[in-house]
Amino acid sequence: VQGNPQHLRTLTNSVLKNNQIHLNQTFVVLAGSLGCYLLLAIFIIRKLKQNSQQLGSFIIQLQGMNGELESEIIKRDKMAYQLVTLNDELKFQALHDVLTNLPNRRLFEDRLTATIQSAKRKKTFFAVMLADLDGFKIINDTLGHALGDSLLQEVALRFSNTIREMDTVARLGGDEFAFILTDLKQPSEASIVAERIIKALNETIHVKGHLLNINVSIGITTYPFDSDSGVELLKNADVAMYNSKNISYGGFQFFREEMNTISKRELLLRHDFVEALNHQNLYLHYQPIIDKKAHAIIHFEALLRWHHPQLGNIIPLEILKLAEHLGLHLALGDWVIQQVCRQLVLWQEQGFNAGSICVNVTAHMLEQNDFIQKLQAILLKSHIATTNIILEITEASLITNTDTMTKIFKQLTAIGIRIAIDDFGTGYSSLNYLRHLPIQILKIDQTFVRELSTNSDDRNTNVTRAIIDLAKLLHLEVIAEGVETSEQATILEKIGCSKMQGYLFSKALPAEECLHIII
């Protein structure tokens, strides 16, 4: 190379040419490789972009699914809460009275069982009380079930506010309530609670525009003195409560073993009464009402009688209570009116002028839609004039619903039936209904007659005189009931009442004996 420059240039050019070829080839190879990589990169980028879009779409779908899932979870939680709430509500309804929200009989009996077990462990004692509202049926039937329900709610509230938190008050059904008084130190504590309960109802109750006064009768039994059985304790309290009612309304009685005899008697009467009514084992006696000044019989009062084969004579008040308790008072009322009409026909055939006959009715009977129609049908069938019938209703039965009674009394008066208010002076609002009710006869209660005195300053006698004067001012016929002594009759005549009824003149007699009464 050193010796031949030309050769060097040739060699150099050859090397450069070869290198250029190699470079070109290398470049071509590299370019081809880069193109492949570039295409691959573009493919990958496109794929990644496509996958990214798919991923984004999937993420959006996932987000939507997550929202739906969250919504579903919320719905399920809500449903679970609703189910728990519904379950709690069903449990509450199963164990509580729907009307008053007080515990019902089932829950009361459960608590009574638990109280007995606790008292056995602690060696303590407690009391069970049963309370029944006096005259509630009359209010319910007279003023309507809606008002009766509102009254029960108010009574339940007053009962709840009367007892301690540890005690229980429950509604067993109807107008019957039960109490458990726990951890008592002595039985007298139960009587204190009973007095508080009675006092709680003494205050006038305002219900749907009506002012109502209602009493409660209570029976009390104690554990373990009377029994250690829940069933027996309830039975004992029930017996004591009915015994309280029989003595007087608005009081309480502790259970005594001898009361069971009374209970058995009542059960026997209830069992036999239906048969007595169906087979007409009941009958009527008639007590004369006389005008002492005229020495004449002016009316008779028809009085129920029932001679029980085992228990003897049953008084009218007990018969009426039985009929009402058994829901047979309407049927009994129809039967009495039919019997009275038959007797009037028989007396007329015998030439005996009995005047008019007083028939005792209740507000519930009068309020029956078909009462007047049935009465007219019976009188028409018997050929008895409406003027021969006097309907007697006790003052206490009128309560405060004078509007309804006024309408019914006007309808009865329009067809010739006379209305007498019985036991006047013992009810709630005497002067109020005297202003409105179209009545014709006022019968002064025997409690006024019994306490008449010749003392001019005697308050009872002056009140009786005022009643008689008031009746005359209102042009009402006034009759004194329960006259038993000549002194009472003399005082009554002196203060202006000559029409009387009572044992002084005659007791209630069988119809055939009435023909021979001498005044």
Side-chain angles (χ1 to χ4, degrees), residues 270 273-275 277-278 322-334:
R270 290 183 190 180
F273 179 75
V274 177
E275 185 177 357
L277 180 60
N278 291 337
L322 276 171
E324 185 172 337
H325 183 81
L326 295 170
L328 295 171
H329 50 294
L330 298 179
L332 180 62
D334 292 345

Side-chain angles (χ1 to χ4, degrees), residues 312-382:
N313 292 324
I314 311 300
I315 62 173
L317 181 60
E318 192 168 12
I319 297 173
L320 291 173
K321 282 186 176 181
L322 276 171
E324 185 172 337
H325 183 81
L326 295 170
L328 295 171
H329 50 294
L330 298 179
L332 180 62
D334 292 345
W335 179 85
V336 169
I337 292 172
Q338 290 171 356
Q339 295 301 310
V340 164
C341 288
R342 288 173 186 164
Q343 189 56 55
L344 278 169
V345 169
L346 183 58
W347 275 341
Q348 288 174 359
E349 291 173 353
Q350 294 171 331
F352 178 66
N353 182 15
S356 302
I357 296 185
C358 300
V359 179
N360 292 283
V361 294
T362 65
H364 185 46
M365 289 172 61
L366 294 178
E367 288 189 321
Q368 298 304 302
N369 292 330
D370 59 347
F371 175 80
I372 296 177
Q373 289 79 4
K374 285 197 300 183
L375 177 60
Q376 285 181 296
I378 293 171
L379 293 173
L380 184 62
K381 184 178 180 180
S382 305

Side-chain angles (χ1 to χ4, degrees), residues 138-139 141-144 147 208-212 363 366-367 393-412 419 421 424 427-439:
I138 295 175
I139 293 175
D141 293 340
T142 304
L143 303 182
L147 185 139
K208 295 184 180 296
H210 294 270
L211 303 179
L212 302 175
L366 294 178
E367 288 189 321
I393 183 169
T394 62
E395 182 183 7
S397 297
L398 297 174
I399 310 295
T400 56
N401 192 23
T402 54
D403 291 340
T404 302
M405 285 295 105
T406 299
K407 181 179 178 181
I408 295 170
F409 284 8
K410 283 182 178 179
Q411 292 174 343
L412 289 167
I419 309 294
I421 301 300
F424 182 81
Y428 299 107
S429 53
S430 308
L431 298 180
N432 182 47
Y433 63 67
L434 284 182
R435 293 187 300 123
H436 301 287
L437 295 176
I439 60 176

Side-chain angles (χ1 to χ4, degrees), residues 21 74 79 114 128 156 173-174 183 192 294 305 325 342 384 403 514:
I21 292 170
I74 292 171
M79 287 177 62
V128 174
D183 295 332
I192 293 172
R305 292 290 185 267
H325 183 81
R342 288 173 186 164
I384 297 296
D403 291 340
C514 293

Side-chain angles (χ1 to χ4, degrees), residues 495-515:
I495 60 178
C497 178
S498 63
K499 295 176 181 179
M500 309 174 196
Q501 176 181 358
Y503 279 13
L504 176 63
F505 311 103
S506 175
K507 64 179 182 179
L509 299 170
E512 59 273 13
E513 293 184 25
C514 293
L515 301 172

